[in-house]
Amino acid sequence: MTEQKQPLLRARGVRKHFGNLQVLNGIDLDVYPSEVVVLLGPSGSGKSTFLRCVNHLEELDGGSITVDGELVGYTRRGGRVHELSDRAIAVQRRSIGMVFQQFNLFPHLTVLRNITESPIGVLGEPRARAVEHARELLARVGLADKADAYPRQLSGGQQQRVAIARALAMRPKLMLFDEPTSALDPELVGEVLATMRGLAADGLTMIVVTHEIGFAREAADRVVFMEGGVIVEQGTAREVLETPRNPRTRAFLSRFLDD
Amino acid sequence: MSTMTALTDRTATAGEPPVDVADAVPRRHPWRWVSAAVVLVLAAQLAHLLVTNPRFQWRVVLRYFNAESVVRGMGTTLLLTVIAMAVGIVLGVLLAVGRLSRNPLIRSLSGLYVWFFRGTPALVQLIFWYNLSQLVTRLSLGIPFGPSFISADTNTLITPMLAAILGLGLNEAAYMAEIIRGGLLSVEQGQVEAAQALGMTRLRTLRRIVLPQAMRFIVPPTGSQVINMVKATSLVSVIAMADMLYTVQAIYNRTFQTIPLLIVACIWYLIITSILYVGQSFIERRYSRGATRQAPRSFLDFLKIRRTPPPVVDRTEHTA
Ligand SMILES: Nc1ncnc2c1ncn2[C@@H]1O[C@H](COP(=O)(O)OP(=O)(O)OP(=O)(O)O)[C@@H](O)[C@H]1O
Ligand SMILES: [Mg+2]
């Protein structure tokens, strides 16, 4: 059913290196609207780097990434590709939300101001509307009563849910999650994953880097396994997690299935 | 769980009631009393000296304390401090951002500025600006190597006030640039990335996210700079500007009451710096919002010297 639609994200031959290290070595990936894609892979396989390329926090060395038909970070003009200005890239990023491992909430702003800062300042939404939307989102992540707290007064799980609400406030077409639960104590992981499952059920398009195999099994439409800067295997959660064909996928998963 | 029960059991078998530290005897501090006594004796001696030694000439101090020329001198000192600091801070922000810029030309020009203005004495810079006319006799605004629109004689353009502002302000900018750069660098890179991921431009990220957080690190050293500047303005007495120090010097050169007049100046400087110190505490409080888990303290809490109990932070969990 998804196959007839245009992909929301289209990555083609994405390459990226740091110094001598080739971190991404030709990534091809399509993500369709409302799809939840979980990116798995060992440490250092380039998962974070790929996500950061999608919203141009990292510049690509080669290949291309298109989101909703628009080339990220570049534009086609007169038969050639030109680098976009900082301002134009900032405009592109409005429609791509990102949630970080370390939350990265703004500590000098209250929870509410964290969420409304960009809708008001960047999108020019009227304050009253932005505040109303922010309160709706806070209720959705279960933190309606924390609007006036400062981030450092919240637990890690609460902070991460605020970070999710903050990203959603921009009404993104695509959400990127980079190990959103890795910095959390085990008992706080559940509340964040529950929030994310809710978003998936609402039809948000998501790319999620995580080591939570349980989340992948339940919420992912597709699981992609990366290693050494390439996609080694991909398929439905059942295919990749239950009957992996590639020996490296099998070796990686065996570490999780032991417990 | 099992360790908890074990512990409770052991206390219970010992047959003692459970301990409640709420009514514990507070720790004694005998050395605090001893040192307080020593300080008290020294203070009494100092007070005795100040009152009984006639050479302090307190009556002279009192007479000149609010003499019109002295107050006017203080006004000049304050005006100069405010303007020179304003120049220093505005230019300092530009230089700091310049030094962190991705543009290599801007980066090295800003570095060069800081290197030069920090590397030469403020006094020399002051005298240099004052004597600029010896170097260039006319200053003009126009097209480089082409016609000029306005031009003026350097000597009439560079008044002692302008020389003082240039000398102190441009020197201050170099120091402020480093203080501000240090503040900007102390803000985590993750903050910038989060702001950019939310579609903020570089300028907006700097203004709304990085700078407000950097303020916490910028304000305390800037406070020192302001207080330094109040005193550094006394350098302008070399270019015959009637600031505080110049004014009292003019008086004691006439009356030979050197010590009492210097005391007048010192008291004035102390009053100004004390006010600035209190002002700094308020600014610091404003920029420490959200920096700790503690709720921000109010103005009233600040005035209370006695120990206030730590504010209770609501840590109740609310799970979706
Ligand atoms: N800015 C950088 N400069 C130099 N090397 C980098 C940089 N960012 C990432 N790397 C390197 O690139 C490789 C891939 O990093 P990346 O963060 O994408 O891995 P990852 O798959 O997300 O791993 P993890 O599961 O540990 O988060 C790593 O070896 C890392 O050290
Ligand atoms: Mg990573």
Side-chain angles (χ1 to χ4, degrees):
Chain A
M1 143 209 135
T2 46
E3 274 67 24
Q4 308 137 6
K5 291 192 215 162
Q6 279 292 317
L8 182 62
L9 173 116
R10 165 164 284 179
R12 285 294 175 271
V14 173
R15 293 189 304 282
K16 176 74 190 173
H17 76 284
F18 292 113
N20 296 330
L21 184 70
Q22 191 70 35
V23 178
L24 298 178
N25 214 342
I27 301 280
D28 294 324
L29 182 70
D30 284 341
V31 178
Y32 290 88
S34 295
E35 210 182 4
V36 176
V37 173
V38 167
L39 219 53
L40 292 179
S43 183
S45 56
K47 307 177 298 288
S48 298
T49 305
F50 177 69
L51 279 198
R52 293 161 57 80
C53 285
V54 171
N55 67 358
H56 213 65
L57 285 178
E58 293 301 349
E59 267 174 51
L60 314 191
D61 294 338
S64 67
I65 293 178
T66 323
V67 172
D68 206 17
E70 226 182 282
L71 213 49
V72 175
Y74 299 87
T75 183
R76 263 170 292 236
R77 212 178 331 115
R80 293 210 53 183
V81 176
H82 299 262
E83 227 178 316
L84 280 177
S85 68
D86 283 338
R87 192 162 288 274
I89 292 169
V91 172
Q92 289 186 331
R93 289 195 184 114
R94 293 175 188 177
S95 53
I96 306 169
M98 186 157 193
V99 174
F100 299 87
Q101 184 174 351
Q102 299 299 337
F103 329 136
N104 295 350
L105 291 180
F106 306 132
H108 61 302
L109 302 178
T110 61
V111 163
L112 193 72
R113 293 259 326 269
N114 258 278
I115 300 175
T116 57
E117 178 64 37
S118 250
I120 294 172
V122 173
L123 300 179
E125 266 184 42
R127 176 169 297 271
R129 246 227 345 258
V131 168
E132 193 191 314
H133 188 209
R135 291 199 187 277
E136 276 169 34
L137 290 169
L138 276 176
R140 187 157 158 202
V141 299
L143 292 170
D145 56 334
K146 294 293 183 194
D148 298 318
Y150 282 93
R152 294 221 169 97
Q153 297 169 341
L154 303 181
S155 73
Q158 292 172 331
Q159 287 189 50
Q160 192 60 297
R161 285 183 283 151
V162 172
I164 292 173
R166 178 176 72 174
L168 291 175
M170 298 294 281
R171 305 174 205 272
K173 296 174 202 152
L174 173 67
M175 278 280 274
L176 312 172
F177 293 84
D178 191 2
E179 304 201 32
T181 58
S182 296
L184 298 177
D185 289 340
E187 74 269 24
L188 301 180
V189 168
E191 63 190 58
V192 172
L193 291 182
T195 304
M196 289 169 61
R197 270 195 296 270
L199 300 178
D202 289 348
L204 186 67
T205 314
M206 299 163 44
I207 305 178
V208 184
V209 173
T210 185
H211 294 296
E212 297 292 331
I213 302 294
F215 176 81
R217 192 176 286 128
E218 280 173 55
D221 295 308
R222 191 144 48 99
V223 172
V224 174
F225 180 75
M226 267 178 79
E227 188 174 347
V230 293
I231 291 177
V232 173
E233 178 166 6
Q234 59 175 308
T236 62
R238 180 179 289 264
E239 285 165 358
V240 176
L241 300 176
E242 313 289 329
T243 54
R245 278 162 296 148
N246 193 293
R248 283 185 291 178
T249 318
R250 235 173 281 149
F252 176 78
L253 288 172
S254 67
R255 274 184 270 152
F256 293 93
L257 299 180
D258 288 342
D259 43 53
Chain B
M1 268 298 116
S2 59
T3 48
M4 278 279 283
T5 11
L7 272 173
T8 341
D9 284 344
R10 212 176 305 147
T11 4
T13 46
E16 283 171 35
V19 170
D20 184 358
V21 294
D23 20 74
V25 180
R27 193 183 291 156
R28 304 267 181 247
H29 299 285
W31 285 107
R32 283 191 198 170
W33 291 105
V34 173
S35 48
V38 170
V39 169
L40 215 62
V41 169
L42 289 175
Q45 273 187 305
L46 182 64
H48 181 75
L49 176 75
L50 287 177
V51 174
T52 56
N53 188 334
R55 270 166 290 187
F56 281 108
Q57 303 184 55
W58 290 105
R59 295 159 57 93
V60 179
V61 171
L62 218 59
R63 178 146 46 88
Y64 282 108
F65 184 67
N66 47 11
E68 205 212 318
S69 60
V70 171
V71 173
R72 214 168 335 108
M74 198 65 234
T76 305
T77 291
L78 279 181
L79 184 70
L80 209 51
T81 302
V82 170
I83 298 178
M85 271 323 288
V87 170
I89 290 173
V90 170
L91 198 55
V93 170
L94 295 179
L95 286 167
V97 173
R99 288 204 68 180
L100 299 172
S101 160
R102 286 180 303 176
N103 180 333
L105 182 66
I106 294 179
R107 215 166 42 225
S108 34
L109 283 181
S110 310
L112 204 65
Y113 180 101
V114 172
W115 169 77
F116 182 80
F117 282 89
R118 226 171 31 152
T120 52
L123 183 61
V124 174
Q125 290 173 30
L126 200 63
I127 299 172
F128 176 86
W129 288 113
Y130 188 57
N131 294 306
L132 191 66
S133 63
Q134 294 182 13
L135 208 59
V136 264
T137 46
R138 286 189 79 74
L139 292 173
S140 54
L141 190 71
I143 297 161
F145 304 109
S148 67
F149 308 130
I150 336 164
S151 94
D153 189 40
T154 306
N155 248 338
T156 45
L157 199 67
I158 305 277
T159 58
M161 186 64 174
L162 190 59
I165 291 170
L166 287 173
L168 296 173
L170 298 187
N171 183 256
E172 183 59 30
Y175 286 93
M176 282 309 301
E178 289 300 277
I179 289 174
I180 293 166
R181 187 169 70 101
L184 296 178
L185 288 176
S186 67
V187 178
E188 255 183 279
Q189 182 59 20
Q191 293 288 310
V192 176
E193 290 183 353
Q196 295 195 325
L198 286 164
M200 291 189 209
T201 56
R202 297 185 143 262
L203 186 63
R204 188 169 195 88
T205 304
L206 177 72
R207 254 190 18 214
R208 305 286 299 185
I209 306 302
V210 178
L211 209 47
Q213 291 184 60
M215 284 306 272
R216 223 159 59 77
F217 301 93
I218 293 173
V219 171
T222 303
S224 302
Q225 290 298 112
V226 176
I227 286 173
N228 249 329
M229 181 61 85
V230 172
K231 296 175 295 169
T233 51
S234 61
L235 292 178
V236 302
S237 56
V238 302
I239 59 171
M241 259 195 90
D243 77 313
M244 182 81 230
L245 188 65
Y246 184 86
T247 310
V248 300
Q249 278 173 339
I251 299 172
Y252 69 62
N253 282 341
R254 213 174 53 233
T255 65
F256 300 106
Q257 292 159 320
T258 311
I259 297 289
L261 276 154
L262 285 178
I263 292 176
V264 168
C266 283
I267 294 175
W268 271 111
Y269 282 125
L270 278 174
I271 291 174
I272 299 304
T273 50
S274 310
I275 295 172
L276 289 172
Y277 182 78
V278 174
Q280 182 189 334
S281 318
F282 282 110
I283 298 176
E284 269 176 43
R285 201 165 320 279
R286 182 170 184 293
Y287 284 106
S288 68
R289 275 185 305 197
T292 61
R293 301 200 73 159
Q294 247 99 79
R297 291 197 305 159
S298 69
F299 176 70
L300 252 148
D301 290 332
F302 173 71
L303 291 182
K304 284 183 214 151
I305 296 190
R306 66 189 166 82
R307 231 170 48 181
T308 43
V312 180
V313 177
D314 181 19
R315 294 271 285 108
T316 10
E317 276 297 309
H318 293 273
T319 318

